[in-house]
Amino acid sequence: MSLFSQANFEEDSQNQPAVGHWKTLMPSKGSKEEPETGCQDARGVDETQSTEQLNMSRLRSSSVEIREKGSEFLKEELHKAQKELKLKDKECERLSKVREQLEQELEELTASLFEEAHKMVREANTKQAASEKQLREARGKIDMLQAEVTALKTLVITSTPSSPNRELHPQLQSPSKAVFRKGHGRNKSTSSAMVSSASQNVTPEPVSHECKEVDSILFAEFQAWKESPTLDKSCSFLDRIYREDVGPCLDFTKQELSELVRVAVEQNTLTIEPVASQTLPVVKVSAEECGGPNGFRSQIVTKCALSGLPRTCKHRIMLGDSGNYYYISPSCRARITAVCNFFTYIRYIQQGLVRQDVELMYWEVMRLRREMSLAKLGFYPSEM
C-alpha cells in the first residue's frame, strides 16, 4: 500500500461519525422510567468513546506499520539503485580501459607502419645507389674492354709472323733505331696491351740474333693449358709461373701491402698513374745517403710504399676503389707492370682474342716471363 492511499484511509476514518452514539434531546411525556433511561445513555456514551479510542489506536498502529514497510521498501530500492550504479561505474571503467588499449595499439601500429615505410625507402635508396655504381663500373669496364679489343686487333692484325709490324715490335729494328717507348700515363692492369716489347726490354740486342730452343716440359704445360685456358693457379702451367716469376716479382719489403697488390693484379683492379712532382710529400734523408747539402737530394724525394726506401717516386697506385694512393719507385712500378702485362696476355688468350700459332703464343709468354725475371732483379728502362 502506498503512502498516498494510507493518508486517504486515515482521513476517511476521522471523517466518519461514531456508530451507536445517540443523544436524547427531550424526554417523552408518558415515560415513567426517566432515571433508568439516563443511566443507559451514559453507558452508551462510554461504550462509544471506548470504541472510538480502539479504532483510533488500530488506525495509528496500522499507519505506523505502513510507514515502516514503506521505509523498508524505499531502502531496498535505494540499495538496488546503488548496486546498479556501481555496476555501471565498473562497466564504464572497463570500456575506458578498452578504449585506451585500442588507442595505444593504434599508435603502435601507426609507428610500426611509418618505420617500415622509412626502412623500405632507405633500402630502395641503397639499392638504387648500388645499381648506379654498378652501372658506372660496367660502363667503365665496357669502355676499357673496347679499347683493349681495338688495341689487340691492331696488334694482331697488323703484325703477323710473315709480315711483322716493326713499329709495334721495335726489337725487330736495327740497334741504332731501337728506342724505348715512354711508359703509360694512367694504366689499369689490363691496359698495357699497347706497351711494346721494347718498353720493358732492357737488352737492346735484337731478338733475331738470339738463339731459341723450345723447352719440351714448358711447352707441354702451355699446350695443356691452351686446350682449356683458365686463370686458376692450381694448373701446372700457372703454378710454375706463380712460383718462379709472379711470386718473387711481387715480393716487396712491405709484405702486407705486397699481398694486397698481388690480389689487385689478379683481380684486375690495380690502377697506376703518374703524379706531378708538386704533389709528392718530401722526405728528409741523411746527407751520406743523398750526397747533397743539408741532408736533401737535389730532386724531390718521397718514400716508396712497397720498398720503404726514400726514392724519387713518379707514379702511384690505387687498389680497387679504396681511394687510397701509394707512391711507388720506378723499380717497383717496373715489376708490377711486368706482371700486369703477363696477366693481360693470358686473359686475351683465355677470351679467344689472340689468333696465332701455339708456338708463337708460347714464345710471347716466355718473353713476358723474361721481363718479370729482369724486373725482379732490378733492371728497368730509364724512362720508368
Side-chain angles (χ1 to χ4, degrees), residues 189-215:
S189 59
T190 59
S191 64
S192 55
M194 293 302 293
V195 178
S196 65
S197 59
S199 64
Q200 302 296 324
N201 190 2
V202 296
T203 58
E205 183 180 358
V207 177
S208 58
H209 293 172
E210 293 181 346
C211 297
K212 300 185 296 183
E213 181 179 355
V214 176
D215 184 276

PDB file of all heavy atoms in Angstrom, residues 189-215:
ATOM      1  N   SER A 189      95.609  -2.467 -64.887  1.00  0.00           N
ATOM      2  CA  SER A 189      96.479  -3.630 -65.003  1.00  0.00           C
ATOM      3  C   SER A 189      96.263  -4.369 -66.307  1.00  0.00           C
ATOM      4  O   SER A 189      97.133  -5.094 -66.752  1.00  0.00           O
ATOM      5  CB  SER A 189      96.221  -4.576 -63.836  1.00  0.00           C
ATOM      6  OG  SER A 189      94.867  -4.977 -63.836  1.00  0.00           O
ATOM      7  N   THR A 190      95.094  -4.162 -66.951  1.00  0.00           N
ATOM      8  CA  THR A 190      94.852  -4.814 -68.231  1.00  0.00           C
ATOM      9  C   THR A 190      95.031  -3.876 -69.411  1.00  0.00           C
ATOM     10  O   THR A 190      94.805  -4.275 -70.545  1.00  0.00           O
ATOM     11  CB  THR A 190      93.414  -5.351 -68.271  1.00  0.00           C
ATOM     12  OG1 THR A 190      92.527  -4.260 -68.075  1.00  0.00           O
ATOM     13  CG2 THR A 190      93.199  -6.404 -67.207  1.00  0.00           C
ATOM     14  N   SER A 191      95.404  -2.647 -69.174  1.00  0.00           N
ATOM     15  CA  SER A 191      95.505  -1.675 -70.251  1.00  0.00           C
ATOM     16  C   SER A 191      96.909  -1.561 -70.786  1.00  0.00           C
ATOM     17  O   SER A 191      97.260  -0.569 -71.390  1.00  0.00           O
ATOM     18  CB  SER A 191      95.028  -0.311 -69.759  1.00  0.00           C
ATOM     19  OG  SER A 191      95.878   0.142 -68.737  1.00  0.00           O
ATOM     20  N   SER A 192      97.729  -2.551 -70.572  1.00  0.00           N
ATOM     21  CA  SER A 192      99.116  -2.482 -71.021  1.00  0.00           C
ATOM     22  C   SER A 192      99.339  -3.310 -72.273  1.00  0.00           C
ATOM     23  O   SER A 192     100.456  -3.727 -72.547  1.00  0.00           O
ATOM     24  CB  SER A 192     100.044  -2.973 -69.915  1.00  0.00           C
ATOM     25  OG  SER A 192      99.655  -4.269 -69.515  1.00  0.00           O
ATOM     26  N   ALA A 193      98.277  -3.608 -73.035  1.00  0.00           N
ATOM     27  CA  ALA A 193      98.461  -4.392 -74.248  1.00  0.00           C
ATOM     28  C   ALA A 193      99.236  -3.630 -75.291  1.00  0.00           C
ATOM     29  O   ALA A 193      99.915  -4.233 -76.129  1.00  0.00           O
ATOM     30  CB  ALA A 193      97.099  -4.794 -74.814  1.00  0.00           C
ATOM     31  N   MET A 194      99.158  -2.304 -75.273  1.00  0.00           N
ATOM     32  CA  MET A 194      99.849  -1.479 -76.255  1.00  0.00           C
ATOM     33  C   MET A 194     101.279  -1.174 -75.860  1.00  0.00           C
ATOM     34  O   MET A 194     101.992  -0.515 -76.596  1.00  0.00           O
ATOM     35  CB  MET A 194      99.078  -0.155 -76.464  1.00  0.00           C
ATOM     36  CG  MET A 194      97.716  -0.350 -77.135  1.00  0.00           C
ATOM     37  SD  MET A 194      97.865  -1.147 -78.723  1.00  0.00           S
ATOM     38  CE  MET A 194      98.735   0.132 -79.636  1.00  0.00           C
ATOM     39  N   VAL A 195     101.674  -1.614 -74.663  1.00  0.00           N
ATOM     40  CA  VAL A 195     103.067  -1.400 -74.267  1.00  0.00           C
ATOM     41  C   VAL A 195     103.928  -2.320 -75.119  1.00  0.00           C
ATOM     42  O   VAL A 195     103.741  -3.530 -75.122  1.00  0.00           O
ATOM     43  CB  VAL A 195     103.281  -1.694 -72.778  1.00  0.00           C
ATOM     44  CG1 VAL A 195     104.735  -1.507 -72.405  1.00  0.00           C
ATOM     45  CG2 VAL A 195     102.398  -0.783 -71.964  1.00  0.00           C
ATOM     46  N   SER A 196     104.838  -1.778 -75.830  1.00  0.00           N
ATOM     47  CA  SER A 196     105.643  -2.583 -76.747  1.00  0.00           C
ATOM     48  C   SER A 196     106.591  -3.472 -75.979  1.00  0.00           C
ATOM     49  O   SER A 196     106.855  -3.279 -74.803  1.00  0.00           O
ATOM     50  CB  SER A 196     106.434  -1.664 -77.682  1.00  0.00           C
ATOM     51  OG  SER A 196     107.363  -0.913 -76.941  1.00  0.00           O
ATOM     52  N   SER A 197     107.067  -4.475 -76.657  1.00  0.00           N
ATOM     53  CA  SER A 197     108.000  -5.388 -76.014  1.00  0.00           C
ATOM     54  C   SER A 197     109.286  -4.686 -75.639  1.00  0.00           C
ATOM     55  O   SER A 197     109.954  -5.058 -74.682  1.00  0.00           O
ATOM     56  CB  SER A 197     108.300  -6.556 -76.965  1.00  0.00           C
ATOM     57  OG  SER A 197     108.858  -6.065 -78.175  1.00  0.00           O
ATOM     58  N   ALA A 198     109.618  -3.645 -76.372  1.00  0.00           N
ATOM     59  CA  ALA A 198     110.858  -2.935 -76.046  1.00  0.00           C
ATOM     60  C   ALA A 198     110.699  -1.994 -74.877  1.00  0.00           C
ATOM     61  O   ALA A 198     111.704  -1.531 -74.340  1.00  0.00           O
ATOM     62  CB  ALA A 198     111.339  -2.142 -77.261  1.00  0.00           C
ATOM     63  N   SER A 199     109.423  -1.678 -74.460  1.00  0.00           N
ATOM     64  CA  SER A 199     109.249  -0.758 -73.346  1.00  0.00           C
ATOM     65  C   SER A 199     109.721  -1.377 -72.052  1.00  0.00           C
ATOM     66  O   SER A 199     110.053  -0.668 -71.118  1.00  0.00           O
ATOM     67  CB  SER A 199     107.780  -0.349 -73.236  1.00  0.00           C
ATOM     68  OG  SER A 199     107.009  -1.478 -72.921  1.00  0.00           O
ATOM     69  N   GLN A 200     109.727  -2.702 -71.942  1.00  0.00           N
ATOM     70  CA  GLN A 200     110.217  -3.382 -70.763  1.00  0.00           C
ATOM     71  C   GLN A 200     111.517  -4.143 -71.036  1.00  0.00           C
ATOM     72  O   GLN A 200     112.061  -4.763 -70.150  1.00  0.00           O
ATOM     73  CB  GLN A 200     109.152  -4.371 -70.261  1.00  0.00           C
ATOM     74  CG  GLN A 200     107.808  -3.738 -69.932  1.00  0.00           C
ATOM     75  CD  GLN A 200     107.937  -2.775 -68.782  1.00  0.00           C
ATOM     76  OE1 GLN A 200     108.697  -3.003 -67.858  1.00  0.00           O
ATOM     77  NE2 GLN A 200     107.227  -1.671 -68.863  1.00  0.00           N
ATOM     78  N   ASN A 201     111.969  -4.114 -72.283  1.00  0.00           N
ATOM     79  CA  ASN A 201     113.161  -4.874 -72.661  1.00  0.00           C
ATOM     80  C   ASN A 201     114.406  -4.086 -72.286  1.00  0.00           C
ATOM     81  O   ASN A 201     114.575  -2.949 -72.706  1.00  0.00           O
ATOM     82  CB  ASN A 201     113.130  -5.149 -74.174  1.00  0.00           C
ATOM     83  CG  ASN A 201     114.216  -6.126 -74.570  1.00  0.00           C
ATOM     84  OD1 ASN A 201     114.949  -6.613 -73.727  1.00  0.00           O
ATOM     85  ND2 ASN A 201     114.303  -6.388 -75.875  1.00  0.00           N
ATOM     86  N   VAL A 202     115.261  -4.662 -71.515  1.00  0.00           N
ATOM     87  CA  VAL A 202     116.456  -3.959 -71.063  1.00  0.00           C
ATOM     88  C   VAL A 202     117.678  -4.356 -71.874  1.00  0.00           C
ATOM     89  O   VAL A 202     118.767  -3.848 -71.644  1.00  0.00           O
ATOM     90  CB  VAL A 202     116.718  -4.268 -69.566  1.00  0.00           C
ATOM     91  CG1 VAL A 202     115.584  -3.737 -68.734  1.00  0.00           C
ATOM     92  CG2 VAL A 202     116.912  -5.754 -69.343  1.00  0.00           C
ATOM     93  N   THR A 203     117.512  -5.278 -72.820  1.00  0.00           N
ATOM     94  CA  THR A 203     118.645  -5.676 -73.669  1.00  0.00           C
ATOM     95  C   THR A 203     118.417  -5.133 -75.063  1.00  0.00           C
ATOM     96  O   THR A 203     117.473  -5.520 -75.755  1.00  0.00           O
ATOM     97  CB  THR A 203     118.761  -7.210 -73.714  1.00  0.00           C
ATOM     98  OG1 THR A 203     117.535  -7.738 -74.210  1.00  0.00           O
ATOM     99  CG2 THR A 203     119.055  -7.780 -72.343  1.00  0.00           C
ATOM    100  N   PRO A 204     119.203  -4.189 -75.542  1.00  0.00           N
ATOM    101  CA  PRO A 204     118.999  -3.601 -76.857  1.00  0.00           C
ATOM    102  C   PRO A 204     119.339  -4.550 -77.997  1.00  0.00           C
ATOM    103  O   PRO A 204     119.091  -4.230 -79.155  1.00  0.00           O
ATOM    104  CB  PRO A 204     119.929  -2.390 -76.853  1.00  0.00           C
ATOM    105  CG  PRO A 204     121.003  -2.749 -75.896  1.00  0.00           C
ATOM    106  CD  PRO A 204     120.358  -3.592 -74.848  1.00  0.00           C
ATOM    107  N   GLU A 205     119.861  -5.717 -77.691  1.00  0.00           N
ATOM    108  CA  GLU A 205     120.230  -6.638 -78.765  1.00  0.00           C
ATOM    109  C   GLU A 205     118.983  -7.162 -79.448  1.00  0.00           C
ATOM    110  O   GLU A 205     118.033  -7.579 -78.786  1.00  0.00           O
ATOM    111  CB  GLU A 205     121.014  -7.817 -78.184  1.00  0.00           C
ATOM    112  CG  GLU A 205     121.492  -8.784 -79.256  1.00  0.00           C
ATOM    113  CD  GLU A 205     122.261  -9.938 -78.647  1.00  0.00           C
ATOM    114  OE1 GLU A 205     122.438  -9.931 -77.425  1.00  0.00           O
ATOM    115  OE2 GLU A 205     122.665 -10.836 -79.392  1.00  0.00           O
ATOM    116  N   PRO A 206     118.846  -7.145 -80.754  1.00  0.00           N
ATOM    117  CA  PRO A 206     117.641  -7.609 -81.448  1.00  0.00           C
ATOM    118  C   PRO A 206     117.369  -9.072 -81.151  1.00  0.00           C
ATOM    119  O   PRO A 206     118.272  -9.873 -80.976  1.00  0.00           O
ATOM    120  CB  PRO A 206     117.975  -7.392 -82.927  1.00  0.00           C
ATOM    121  CG  PRO A 206     119.086  -6.391 -82.944  1.00  0.00           C
ATOM    122  CD  PRO A 206     119.859  -6.613 -81.682  1.00  0.00           C
ATOM    123  N   VAL A 207     116.084  -9.390 -81.140  1.00  0.00           N
ATOM    124  CA  VAL A 207     115.681 -10.753 -80.845  1.00  0.00           C
ATOM    125  C   VAL A 207     116.111 -11.693 -81.954  1.00  0.00           C
ATOM    126  O   VAL A 207     116.375 -12.872 -81.741  1.00  0.00           O
ATOM    127  CB  VAL A 207     114.153 -10.803 -80.637  1.00  0.00           C
ATOM    128  CG1 VAL A 207     113.675 -12.230 -80.384  1.00  0.00           C
ATOM    129  CG2 VAL A 207     113.744  -9.899 -79.491  1.00  0.00           C
ATOM    130  N   SER A 208     116.183 -11.172 -83.181  1.00  0.00           N
ATOM    131  CA  SER A 208     116.529 -12.021 -84.313  1.00  0.00           C
ATOM    132  C   SER A 208     117.930 -12.616 -84.183  1.00  0.00           C
ATOM    133  O   SER A 208     118.233 -13.607 -84.831  1.00  0.00           O
ATOM    134  CB  SER A 208     116.426 -11.212 -85.617  1.00  0.00           C
ATOM    135  OG  SER A 208     117.291 -10.087 -85.562  1.00  0.00           O
ATOM    136  N   HIS A 209     118.822 -12.016 -83.402  1.00  0.00           N
ATOM    137  CA  HIS A 209     120.176 -12.527 -83.226  1.00  0.00           C
ATOM    138  C   HIS A 209     120.270 -13.568 -82.125  1.00  0.00           C
ATOM    139  O   HIS A 209     121.343 -14.105 -81.884  1.00  0.00           O
ATOM    140  CB  HIS A 209     121.146 -11.381 -82.905  1.00  0.00           C
ATOM    141  CG  HIS A 209     121.314 -10.443 -84.075  1.00  0.00           C
ATOM    142  ND1 HIS A 209     122.007  -9.248 -83.975  1.00  0.00           N
ATOM    143  CD2 HIS A 209     120.867 -10.510 -85.359  1.00  0.00           C
ATOM    144  CE1 HIS A 209     121.991  -8.631 -85.140  1.00  0.00           C
ATOM    145  NE2 HIS A 209     121.294  -9.388 -85.987  1.00  0.00           N
ATOM    146  N   GLU A 210     119.171 -13.778 -81.394  1.00  0.00           N
ATOM    147  CA  GLU A 210     119.193 -14.734 -80.298  1.00  0.00           C
ATOM    148  C   GLU A 210     118.892 -16.143 -80.815  1.00  0.00           C
ATOM    149  O   GLU A 210     118.174 -16.326 -81.808  1.00  0.00           O
ATOM    150  CB  GLU A 210     118.159 -14.365 -79.227  1.00  0.00           C
ATOM    151  CG  GLU A 210     118.472 -13.075 -78.503  1.00  0.00           C
ATOM    152  CD  GLU A 210     117.446 -12.758 -77.449  1.00  0.00           C
ATOM    153  OE1 GLU A 210     116.364 -13.391 -77.463  1.00  0.00           O
ATOM    154  OE2 GLU A 210     117.703 -11.873 -76.615  1.00  0.00           O
ATOM    155  N   CYS A 211     119.426 -17.087 -80.133  1.00  0.00           N
ATOM    156  CA  CYS A 211     119.125 -18.487 -80.431  1.00  0.00           C
ATOM    157  C   CYS A 211     118.087 -18.983 -79.444  1.00  0.00           C
ATOM    158  O   CYS A 211     118.229 -18.791 -78.242  1.00  0.00           O
ATOM    159  CB  CYS A 211     120.406 -19.331 -80.341  1.00  0.00           C
ATOM    160  SG  CYS A 211     121.659 -18.865 -81.548  1.00  0.00           S
ATOM    161  N   LYS A 212     117.049 -19.609 -79.963  1.00  0.00           N
ATOM    162  CA  LYS A 212     115.952 -20.058 -79.113  1.00  0.00           C
ATOM    163  C   LYS A 212     115.728 -21.547 -79.317  1.00  0.00           C
ATOM    164  O   LYS A 212     115.878 -22.067 -80.414  1.00  0.00           O
ATOM    165  CB  LYS A 212     114.675 -19.292 -79.439  1.00  0.00           C
ATOM    166  CG  LYS A 212     114.778 -17.797 -79.234  1.00  0.00           C
ATOM    167  CD  LYS A 212     113.453 -17.101 -79.460  1.00  0.00           C
ATOM    168  CE  LYS A 212     113.001 -17.234 -80.896  1.00  0.00           C
ATOM    169  NZ  LYS A 212     111.738 -16.482 -81.142  1.00  0.00           N
ATOM    170  N   GLU A 213     115.336 -22.179 -78.243  1.00  0.00           N
ATOM    171  CA  GLU A 213     115.012 -23.592 -78.303  1.00  0.00           C
ATOM    172  C   GLU A 213     113.843 -23.848 -77.341  1.00  0.00           C
ATOM    173  O   GLU A 213     113.892 -23.461 -76.175  1.00  0.00           O
ATOM    174  CB  GLU A 213     116.207 -24.459 -77.918  1.00  0.00           C
ATOM    175  CG  GLU A 213     115.911 -25.959 -77.999  1.00  0.00           C
ATOM    176  CD  GLU A 213     117.123 -26.803 -77.640  1.00  0.00           C
ATOM    177  OE1 GLU A 213     118.202 -26.223 -77.428  1.00  0.00           O
ATOM    178  OE2 GLU A 213     116.974 -28.035 -77.555  1.00  0.00           O
ATOM    179  N   VAL A 214     112.812 -24.504 -77.853  1.00  0.00           N
ATOM    180  CA  VAL A 214     111.606 -24.752 -77.065  1.00  0.00           C
ATOM    181  C   VAL A 214     111.890 -25.817 -76.019  1.00  0.00           C
ATOM    182  O   VAL A 214     112.410 -26.896 -76.335  1.00  0.00           O
ATOM    183  CB  VAL A 214     110.447 -25.199 -77.970  1.00  0.00           C
ATOM    184  CG1 VAL A 214     109.227 -25.552 -77.119  1.00  0.00           C
ATOM    185  CG2 VAL A 214     110.095 -24.110 -78.956  1.00  0.00           C
ATOM    186  N   ASP A 215     111.545 -25.484 -74.758  1.00  0.00           N
ATOM    187  CA  ASP A 215     111.659 -26.467 -73.692  1.00  0.00           C
ATOM    188  C   ASP A 215     110.425 -27.373 -73.743  1.00  0.00           C
ATOM    189  O   ASP A 215     109.292 -26.901 -73.711  1.00  0.00           O
ATOM    190  CB  ASP A 215     111.749 -25.756 -72.334  1.00  0.00           C
ATOM    191  CG  ASP A 215     111.966 -26.720 -71.184  1.00  0.00           C
ATOM    192  OD1 ASP A 215     110.962 -27.276 -70.697  1.00  0.00           O
ATOM    193  OD2 ASP A 215     113.122 -26.899 -70.783  1.00  0.00           O
TER     194      ASP A 215
END
